[in-house]
Amino acid sequence: MLMLRRIHLQPGLMARHVSSKPGKRSFSLRAVCGAGLVGCGAGYLLSRMDGQLRERQLPGAGFRVCCEEMITPKQQALPNELRGIVGKQHVVENVTEICHVAILPQGAKTGITGGSVPRPCDRPMVVISTQRLQKILPIGDEAKQVLCFAGAGIFSVQETLKPLNRDSHSVLGSIFLNPSVAAGVAFGSGGTQIHKGPAFTNRALYCRVDANGQLKLVNTLGLNAHEDVVAFLDNAQALSSKDMDAKCTRAASWPKYPQHLTKLDGQVSRYNADLTGEDCNRSEGKVFILATIHDTFPMPQESKMVWVSCKDFATANHIKQKVALASPNCLPKQFEYMGREQFDCVDQGGRGIIKLIEMVGMSNLGTLWNFKLKFESLPLPFVNIIADKLLWYLNSAIPESLPKPLMEQGRKFDHHLIMEMTEFGNGELKQLDERLQRQLALNPGDISCYVCQDAFEKSRVMLFRFAVQPSIQTITVGKGRQGLIIDYAMPKNFDRILEMPKDCDIEMRCLCSHFGCNVFHESLMLSNDVDVKEVKKRIKQVIDEAGGKLPAEHGHGTEYEAPCSTQERWKRIDPTNSMNPGVGHSSSLKGYL
C-alpha cells in the first residue's frame, strides 16, 4: 500500500520539539528537521496527474504507481507521529498503492513542469507543504534586504515592502497566484524585471540529507552567531542591521546581472541548468529550503509605460539593442515582447481572467486558484475542463481588456514591445525616452507608440501580458485541442524568431518573451493527432542546435531531462536520493541504484 499524505507546517519554520510527555508540544523551525527524520513531513500523492500538467496536455493522463509491497509497521505508524508533531488538522491522508519514504517539498503549486508533483518511486512519498511558513522580515530601517520563510509568496513580499519604499527581488507573470519565494530559488524562476536577474541567493537556511541518511542543517544566511538560529528566527518579529554579520559578503542577488545582460555575446542570459551559486539555487527539491535572504530594490520616483508596435521582428530587435540594452547603468524596468498570435490569443481567451483579477484584486486570486485546483481534482467527468470551457464561451461577452486605440494598434502590427521606463534620480527615464524617440523618428511608418495615460492603463497592459498562459489554456480547452507550453533562453546575440520544426501540426503559435533577457515562452495549440512529447523533443533539438537552453526559468521538473552536470550536482547534494527522487528524469530509486 502507498500512503499518500500531506503535512502543513505550523507558522514556525519547523516543530522545535516533540515531547515524549503526553499533551506537551511546542512548535518552531526545528521540527521540520525533526519531522524530516521521521518522514520529513507528510503529504498526499495525487491519484491523477496534477492540474498543471493536465492543463498542458489534454486530455490529462491518469496517475498509476507500480509497486505493491506491504507497508511496514513503522511506515504505518507515520501518520500518528506526524499528527503529534504538527497537529491532527494539518495531516491529510489518502491511501492508494505503493511501497518505502521519499521527501517532496511543495510550495504554492503554481509550477508548470511538475517539479513538486508526487510521482511513482520505490518508497512512499511524503509531501511537505510550506504554505504555513510565511514570515517576511525586512532587514533594518532601510530594508535593503529581506528575509523570507520558504512559503512566503512573492506578491506578499512585494506588498510588505511597498510601505518601506522598496521593491521585491522577483516579479513573475504568475505573481497574482503568489508563488513561494523558496520555489523561485529552487527552480530558478526568472521574471519580467530585467535589472534584477533571476531568483538567486547565496544566503539561505536549508536542510539536506547526507550519505548516512542524516538530516543536516546548512546555514549561510549571514546572521550574527546564534546558538540556535532556528529558535531565533521562529521568535524574531523584526531584524535589524545588528542582527547581520557585517563581514558576510555572500551575494543575495545575481552579481552584476546588468553588465552580463548588456554584453550581447553568444551566451544565454539565464537558464535552469546553470550551476552557479549555493546548492539551494536551482536545486529543484533536492534540498529543503527553510529561509532565504534577498536584496531589495529602490522604488522608482517616476514611471512611464509605452506599448511599441513594429512591422517586423528586426525592428523590434533593433529597439532592444539601441534603446533597452544600450547601457548597463540605464535599463528599463521591464522590456517584454509579444507576437501577433499571442496578442490575439489573450484577446480571445484571456478577457475573463483579466476581468476576474480586476474584480477580486490580485491578493485574493490565489484563493480562487486553489479552489479551482481542488475542484478539478474531483473524480467527476470533465471536471478539469469546465472552468476553461466557461471562460471560452463567455469571453466574447466581456469587454476588450485594453483601451480602444491600443487594441487597434495591436491588430495593425505583428510585433509588440511593452517597456516600462523608470526614474531613480540619475536621469534614467529621460535617457531611455530620448533613445526611443530617436528610433521613432528614424522609422515613422514602421513603428507606432502608445503611451499609457494613467495607473489604470498601466495595470491593464501588465494584466494583458500576465494573461498569456491562462489564455492559451482556455483556447485549447475551448477548441478541444492539445496544448504545449515551453520556455527557453536563446543566446543574447540571437536576433531572429526561432523556426519551429516542420510537420508538428502547430495550429496556433503564441510567442512572448522577456525580451531584454532573450528568454522566450512558446504557447502552442496542437492537433490532437500528434504526440506532444515527440513534438517537445523535436523543438528542444532545434533550440539546442541554435545554441539555446531549455528550460530557462520553469525548472526541469518531470518534463525535461536535466543534463549530466546538473544530475551530478543533485547526486552530490542528495547522495541517498531522499529528496524529490525522479526530478529532471533522474533515477527515482533509493541511492540512485
Side-chain angles (χ1 to χ4, degrees), residues 178-326:
N178 212 17
S180 68
V181 171
V185 174
F187 289 93
S189 64
T192 62
Q193 301 189 352
I194 63 175
H195 62 296
K196 297 178 179 179
F200 175 91
T201 183
N202 287 333
R203 302 181 68 172
L205 183 69
Y206 61 93
C207 294
R208 57 181 295 268
V209 180
D210 67 14
N212 297 317
Q214 299 297 306
L215 199 67
K216 301 295 183 182
L217 189 65
V218 180
N219 179 12
T220 66
L221 286 172
L223 295 172
N224 276 330
H226 292 280
E227 186 174 331
D228 191 338
V229 66
V230 169
F232 171 75
L233 290 178
D234 274 340
N235 296 321
Q237 299 303 311
L239 290 176
S240 71
S241 56
K242 294 180 180 179
D243 294 311
M244 312 309 295
D245 181 357
K247 297 179 181 179
C248 180
T249 59
R250 289 177 170 269
S253 60
W254 194 282
K256 299 182 178 179
Y257 190 73
Q259 289 80 0
H260 165 63
L261 194 64
T262 52
K263 185 179 180 182
L264 301 180
D265 53 22
Q267 302 298 312
V268 300
S269 60
R270 50 185 170 87
Y271 63 106
N272 283 130
D274 194 324
L275 305 181
T276 303
E278 184 65 32
D279 286 340
C280 57
N281 293 291
R282 297 175 173 85
S283 55
E284 301 206 22
K286 302 303 286 184
V287 302
F288 194 105
I289 299 174
L290 303 174
T292 49
I293 288 178
H294 299 271
D295 289 333
T296 66
F297 296 81
M299 293 290 285
Q301 301 169 9
E302 187 181 354
S303 171
K304 180 179 180 180
M305 183 171 285
V306 296
W307 183 300
V308 180
S309 301
C310 309
K311 72 167 187 177
D312 53 39
F313 187 80
T315 303
N317 195 70
H318 186 75
I319 292 175
K320 176 173 73 173
Q321 295 180 359
K322 299 299 182 182
V323 179
L325 302 184

Side-chain angles (χ1 to χ4, degrees), residues 9-17 27-34 133 149-150 205 207 217 228-234 290-291:
L9 301 177
Q10 296 275 13
L13 279 179
M14 294 193 177
R16 165 198 299 272
H17 173 65
F27 218 91
S28 77
L29 196 130
R30 185 180 301 279
V32 169
C33 299
L133 310 183
F149 280 17
L205 183 69
C207 294
L217 189 65
D228 191 338
V229 66
V230 169
F232 171 75
L233 290 178
D234 274 340
L290 303 174

Side-chain angles (χ1 to χ4, degrees), residues 55 77 104-105 116 132 155 202 230 233 252 303 311 340 373 386 471 478 532 554:
E55 287 174 7
L104 178 62
S116 61
R132 293 172 61 83
F155 180 75
N202 287 333
V230 169
L233 290 178
S303 171
K311 72 167 187 177
R340 172 60 186 276
L373 291 181
I386 291 175
S471 62
V532 175
H554 291 154

Side-chain angles (χ1 to χ4, degrees), residues 334-387:
Q334 304 183 68
F335 190 66
E336 300 285 291
Y337 168 83
M338 183 181 296
R340 172 60 186 276
E341 280 194 285
Q342 180 68 83
F343 179 92
D344 292 341
C345 176
V346 177
D347 183 45
Q348 296 168 13
R351 294 184 189 181
I353 189 69
I354 293 172
K355 176 59 69 174
L356 185 62
I357 296 173
E358 180 185 311
M359 290 171 60
V360 306
M362 193 85 81
S363 60
N364 297 317
L365 202 64
T367 302
L368 292 177
W369 177 258
N370 289 332
F371 173 79
K372 178 178 182 286
L373 291 181
K374 289 180 181 179
F375 177 74
E376 290 178 346
S377 69
L378 295 174
L380 299 173
F382 310 113
V383 72
N384 63 313
I385 65 172
I386 291 175

Side-chain angles (χ1 to χ4, degrees), residues 10 30 51 86 166 196 213 242 285 341 402 419 541 577:
Q10 296 275 13
R30 185 180 301 279
V86 298
R166 300 295 293 182
K196 297 178 179 179
K242 294 180 180 179
E341 280 194 285
L402 295 175
M419 179 164 63
Q541 183 179 357
N577 203 16

Side-chain angles (χ1 to χ4, degrees), residues 19 36 46 71 104 107 138-139 156 197 205 210 216 225 231 244 315 317 319 359 415 428 436 526 533 538:
S19 174
L46 304 175
I71 190 166
L104 178 62
I139 299 173
S156 301
L205 183 69
D210 67 14
K216 301 295 183 182
M244 312 309 295
T315 303
N317 195 70
I319 292 175
M359 290 171 60
H415 304 273
E428 296 93 347
L436 177 60
L526 303 171
K533 292 183 178 180
R538 294 180 63 188

